[in-house]
Amino acid sequence: MKKLLEKVIENNRNYTEFGEVASYIPELTKANKNALGICVTTLKGEEICAGDCNTKFTIQSISKVITLIIALMDNGKEKTFSKVGVEPTTDAFNSIINLEAKNPNKPLNPMINAGAIATVSLIDGENSDEIFNKILNFTRKLAGNEDIHINENVYRCEKETGDRNRSLAYFMKSTGIITKDVENVLDVYFRQCSMEVTCKDISRIGAVLANNGVIPWTKERVIPEDIARVVKTIMVTCGMYDASGEFAVNIGIPAKSGVGGGIMASVPSNMGIGVFGPALDSKGNSIAGIKVLADLSKELNLSIF
Ligand code: GLN
C-alpha cells in the first residue's frame, strides 16, 4: 500500500501546475502550490501516508461535515432538514442566487456556504465560544488528535473579508432560516473553517464515518449509525459542490473538499482517505487531489457504485 500511495502521489504531482492556490485571503496564498500528500486509515487500524502528509492546512469546508453531524445529533433529521435542503447544486459553493430564487427559500444543502452557515446556527450552546468548543472538541475526538487548534491569522482574515458569507447569513436571517444573532453564527463558521489539520486527521475522520460512526481505534460510538449514513450520502451528492456528479462518476466515493486543499474521503466499511494539494481547480477542489483519488479508486476498486 505504501508503494502504491507513493506512486499515485508522484504520478499526479504535475497536475498541481494546472491549479491555483486559494487567494481570497492572503494567508492561503502562502501555501506551496506543488504540495501533494495522502494518508489512508483502514478500519483495521493501519495508517499509511505518502508525500506531503505532515503539512498543516486549514480544514475549511471539510468542517461542514462535522457541523452537519453535530446539528443532526442536536436536532434530529426533521428539524435540521426543515432549515437546510439535501439537493445538489449546479452553482458555486458561495453562490447567492438560489437563496431567493428557489421555493421554499432554504439553502440547497449543508455543503455549500449558505447551507453550512444555516446548519451551524442549529447547534445547541449558550454562546459562540461554547458552540465552537463543542465543534473543536468533536473534531479532535474524530481525528484522535488533541493538538488541533485554529490558525489565528486565517480566522482573522476570514472574519475581516467574509462579506459574501455575511450577506448570505443576513439574507437567511431575513427569511427566518437563521433565528440567532448573525455575527455570532458567522464567528463560529469562520473559526470552524480555520481549524488546522493534516492529511492524517482528515483520513481518520473519514475512517470513523466509513465505520458507521464508531471510532475504529477505540471502538467508541460517537455518531449514531443513521446519521453517519445520511452524512455520507450528502457527501456523495453535494460534497464536491457543483463537481459532485463528475466525482461520483469517476471516483465513486463519499468525499468533502475544502479550499485549503484538503479532500476527506470515506470508503464505507473499508477506509478513510485524507488528501492535501492546495492547487485548486476552477470549482475550488484540489486539482491533483482529485486525480490522486481517481487513481486510487481505480487501483483498489473503491467505487461504491
Ligand atoms: N472559508 C471558506 C468560505 O467560507 C470556505 C469555503 C470552502 O472551503 N469552499 O468561503
Side-chain angles (χ1 to χ4, degrees):
M1 176 71 106
K2 175 102 183 155
K3 282 216 157 52
L4 171 64
L5 296 187
E6 281 167 354
K7 189 181 88 185
V8 293
I9 290 292
E10 286 329 308
N11 286 354
N12 289 298
R13 204 182 280 275
N14 58 321
Y15 284 106
T16 60
E17 281 304 326
F18 300 107
E20 295 300 334
V21 299
S23 57
Y24 70 96
I25 55 174
E27 273 305 304
L28 298 182
T29 61
K30 295 179 187 161
N32 170 10
K33 176 175 167 166
N34 300 117
L36 193 61
I38 187 167
C39 183
V40 164
T41 304
T42 70
L43 299 198
K44 293 189 198 110
E46 295 137 323
E47 224 148 41
I48 312 110
C49 299
D52 300 295
C53 54
N54 296 318
T55 309
K56 287 188 178 173
F57 56 93
T58 49
I59 190 165
Q60 297 292 350
S61 283
I62 300 169
S63 66
K64 294 169 179 170
V65 172
I66 298 161
T67 45
L68 174 62
I69 295 169
I70 302 173
L72 283 166
M73 292 200 297
D74 282 359
N75 301 280
K77 277 189 286 191
E78 201 178 325
K79 181 168 177 204
T80 305
F81 296 132
S82 72
K83 296 281 187 178
V84 54
V86 292
E87 300 306 335
T89 182
T90 50
D91 299 306
F93 64 79
N94 56 2
S95 174
I96 293 180
I97 188 162
N98 284 318
L99 268 188
E100 189 170 30
K102 282 268 184 297
N103 187 22
N105 58 2
K106 61 182 180 184
L108 276 171
N109 69 67
M111 301 289 119
I112 54 172
N113 288 11
I117 295 166
T119 303
V120 76
S121 80
L122 295 173
I123 295 179
D124 294 339
E126 285 299 310
N127 51 47
S128 41
D129 281 344
E130 192 179 306
I131 294 168
F132 175 66
N133 283 328
K134 190 165 154 182
I135 297 167
L136 179 63
N137 286 331
F138 193 56
T139 306
R140 288 173 172 169
K141 179 141 215 163
L142 294 174
N145 179 5
E146 284 302 308
D147 201 29
I148 295 176
H149 302 277
I150 63 173
N151 177 322
E152 294 290 340
N153 280 338
V154 171
Y155 163 55
R156 200 174 21 80
C157 288
E158 294 278 357
K159 198 169 171 127
E160 267 168 28
T161 63
D163 291 327
R164 199 173 174 99
N165 287 323
R166 222 164 251 121
S167 60
L168 293 169
Y170 277 101
F171 186 82
M172 288 189 287
K173 175 97 189 228
S174 78
T175 58
I177 296 286
I178 291 181
T179 51
K180 290 185 182 164
D181 178 86
V182 173
E183 288 302 327
N184 286 343
V185 172
L186 283 165
D187 188 57
V188 176
Y189 175 74
F190 294 136
R191 283 200 258 179
Q192 73 175 73
C193 286
S194 309
M195 292 187 291
E196 256 185 343
V197 290
T198 63
C199 288
K200 190 193 265 188
D201 296 322
I202 56 172
S203 81
R204 286 182 173 184
I205 300 171
V208 178
L209 282 168
N211 204 27
N212 302 318
V214 174
I215 298 182
W217 52 95
T218 63
K219 310 281 179 248
E220 185 188 350
R221 171 163 300 284
V222 283
I223 307 168
E225 187 162 1
D226 189 43
I227 291 182
R229 180 187 63 77
V230 167
V231 168
K232 277 181 285 187
T233 311
I234 294 175
M235 286 164 69
V236 169
T237 53
C238 312
M240 305 297 286
Y241 319 115
D242 47 330
S244 298
E246 198 181 330
F247 190 88
V249 167
N250 293 333
I251 294 151
I253 306 174
K256 181 74 205 84
S257 61
V259 291
I263 304 177
M264 174 179 84
S266 178
V267 189
S269 307
N270 192 343
M271 61 173 74
I273 309 172
V275 182
F276 166 61
L280 307 177
D281 63 19
S282 59
K283 301 197 166 169
N285 295 318
S286 172
I287 194 164
I290 288 183
K291 296 284 184 193
V292 163
L293 285 170
D295 282 1
L296 207 60
S297 176
K298 210 158 146 198
E299 289 273 351
L300 300 176
N301 204 10
L302 300 179
S303 173
I304 63 170
F305 300 107

Short mmCIF file of all heavy atoms in Angstrom, two decimals, residues 24 60-61 64 93-94 113 158 165 189 193 241 257-260, ligand 1:
data_model
loop_
_atom_site.label_atom_id
_atom_site.label_comp_id
_atom_site.label_asym_id
_atom_site.label_seq_id
_atom_site.Cartn_x
_atom_site.Cartn_y
_atom_site.Cartn_z
N TYR A 24 -8.51 34.26 -1.92
CA TYR A 24 -9.48 35.23 -1.41
C TYR A 24 -9.03 35.85 -0.09
O TYR A 24 -9.54 36.88 0.31
CB TYR A 24 -10.89 34.60 -1.30
CG TYR A 24 -11.02 33.56 -0.21
CD1 TYR A 24 -11.53 33.91 1.04
CD2 TYR A 24 -10.63 32.24 -0.42
CE1 TYR A 24 -11.65 32.97 2.04
CE2 TYR A 24 -10.74 31.30 0.58
CZ TYR A 24 -11.25 31.67 1.80
OH TYR A 24 -11.35 30.74 2.80
N GLN A 60 -11.21 24.28 6.35
CA GLN A 60 -12.19 24.99 5.52
C GLN A 60 -13.50 24.20 5.40
O GLN A 60 -14.02 23.77 6.41
CB GLN A 60 -11.58 25.33 4.15
CG GLN A 60 -10.39 26.27 4.26
CD GLN A 60 -10.77 27.68 4.72
OE1 GLN A 60 -11.93 28.02 4.80
NE2 GLN A 60 -9.79 28.50 5.05
N SER A 61 -13.97 23.97 4.18
CA SER A 61 -15.32 23.41 4.02
C SER A 61 -15.46 21.96 4.48
O SER A 61 -16.59 21.47 4.58
CB SER A 61 -15.76 23.51 2.56
OG SER A 61 -16.15 24.82 2.28
N LYS A 64 -17.71 21.43 7.30
CA LYS A 64 -19.17 21.42 7.13
C LYS A 64 -19.75 20.04 7.43
O LYS A 64 -20.90 19.91 7.85
CB LYS A 64 -19.54 21.85 5.71
CG LYS A 64 -19.20 23.31 5.41
CD LYS A 64 -19.34 23.65 3.93
CE LYS A 64 -19.02 25.11 3.64
NZ LYS A 64 -18.91 25.41 2.20
N PHE A 93 -19.90 27.20 -4.65
CA PHE A 93 -20.17 26.95 -3.22
C PHE A 93 -20.62 28.19 -2.47
O PHE A 93 -21.25 28.10 -1.43
CB PHE A 93 -18.95 26.31 -2.55
CG PHE A 93 -17.71 27.17 -2.52
CD1 PHE A 93 -17.57 28.18 -1.58
CD2 PHE A 93 -16.68 26.96 -3.43
CE1 PHE A 93 -16.43 28.96 -1.55
CE2 PHE A 93 -15.53 27.73 -3.41
CZ PHE A 93 -15.41 28.75 -2.47
N ASN A 94 -20.24 29.38 -2.98
CA ASN A 94 -20.62 30.60 -2.26
C ASN A 94 -21.71 31.38 -2.99
O ASN A 94 -21.91 32.57 -2.77
CB ASN A 94 -19.39 31.48 -2.02
CG ASN A 94 -18.67 31.81 -3.31
OD1 ASN A 94 -19.11 31.43 -4.39
ND2 ASN A 94 -17.57 32.53 -3.20
N ASN A 113 -21.88 27.14 1.24
CA ASN A 113 -21.71 28.05 2.37
C ASN A 113 -23.02 28.42 3.05
O ASN A 113 -23.11 28.40 4.29
CB ASN A 113 -20.99 29.32 1.91
CG ASN A 113 -19.52 29.07 1.62
OD1 ASN A 113 -19.09 27.91 1.57
ND2 ASN A 113 -18.76 30.12 1.42
N GLU A 158 -10.52 35.55 7.54
CA GLU A 158 -11.86 35.09 7.14
C GLU A 158 -12.91 36.07 7.67
O GLU A 158 -13.85 36.44 6.96
CB GLU A 158 -12.17 33.69 7.74
CG GLU A 158 -11.32 32.56 7.23
CD GLU A 158 -11.80 31.98 5.90
OE1 GLU A 158 -12.83 32.42 5.38
OE2 GLU A 158 -11.09 31.12 5.37
N ASN A 165 -20.17 35.76 2.82
CA ASN A 165 -20.80 34.88 3.80
C ASN A 165 -21.75 35.68 4.70
O ASN A 165 -22.82 35.20 5.08
CB ASN A 165 -19.73 34.18 4.63
CG ASN A 165 -19.02 33.11 3.83
OD1 ASN A 165 -19.64 32.43 3.01
ND2 ASN A 165 -17.72 32.97 4.03
N TYR A 189 -18.68 29.96 12.34
CA TYR A 189 -18.38 29.44 11.00
C TYR A 189 -16.94 29.78 10.58
O TYR A 189 -16.20 28.93 10.09
CB TYR A 189 -19.40 29.99 9.98
CG TYR A 189 -19.08 29.60 8.56
CD1 TYR A 189 -19.31 28.30 8.11
CD2 TYR A 189 -18.53 30.52 7.67
CE1 TYR A 189 -19.00 27.93 6.80
CE2 TYR A 189 -18.22 30.16 6.37
CZ TYR A 189 -18.46 28.86 5.94
OH TYR A 189 -18.13 28.49 4.65
N CYS A 193 -13.85 26.94 10.00
CA CYS A 193 -13.10 26.86 8.74
C CYS A 193 -11.60 26.98 8.98
O CYS A 193 -10.80 26.53 8.16
CB CYS A 193 -13.53 27.98 7.78
SG CYS A 193 -15.14 27.74 7.04
N TYR A 241 -19.27 20.12 -4.25
CA TYR A 241 -20.03 21.25 -4.81
C TYR A 241 -20.62 20.89 -6.17
O TYR A 241 -21.12 19.78 -6.36
CB TYR A 241 -19.17 22.52 -4.91
CG TYR A 241 -18.28 22.78 -3.75
CD1 TYR A 241 -16.90 22.74 -3.89
CD2 TYR A 241 -18.81 23.06 -2.50
CE1 TYR A 241 -16.07 23.00 -2.81
CE2 TYR A 241 -17.97 23.31 -1.42
CZ TYR A 241 -16.61 23.28 -1.59
OH TYR A 241 -15.79 23.52 -0.54
N SER A 257 -14.51 18.35 0.06
CA SER A 257 -13.30 19.14 -0.19
C SER A 257 -13.35 20.46 0.58
O SER A 257 -14.39 20.86 1.09
CB SER A 257 -13.24 19.46 -1.69
OG SER A 257 -14.38 20.22 -2.03
N GLY A 258 -12.20 21.14 0.63
CA GLY A 258 -12.11 22.47 1.23
C GLY A 258 -11.12 23.32 0.45
O GLY A 258 -10.19 22.75 -0.17
N VAL A 259 -11.28 24.64 0.49
CA VAL A 259 -10.38 25.50 -0.29
C VAL A 259 -8.96 25.56 0.28
O VAL A 259 -8.06 26.12 -0.35
CB VAL A 259 -10.92 26.94 -0.51
CG1 VAL A 259 -12.12 26.95 -1.43
CG2 VAL A 259 -11.21 27.63 0.81
N GLY A 260 -8.74 24.97 1.46
CA GLY A 260 -7.37 24.84 1.98
C GLY A 260 -6.60 23.79 1.21
O GLY A 260 -5.38 23.65 1.38
N1 GLN B 1 -13.85 29.76 4.36
C1 GLN B 1 -14.34 29.47 3.05
C2 GLN B 1 -15.56 30.31 2.78
O1 GLN B 1 -16.41 30.38 3.61
C3 GLN B 1 -14.65 28.01 2.93
C4 GLN B 1 -15.10 27.66 1.54
C5 GLN B 1 -14.61 26.34 1.03
O2 GLN B 1 -13.73 25.67 1.56
N2 GLN B 1 -15.14 26.00 -0.12
O3 GLN B 1 -15.68 30.91 1.73
#
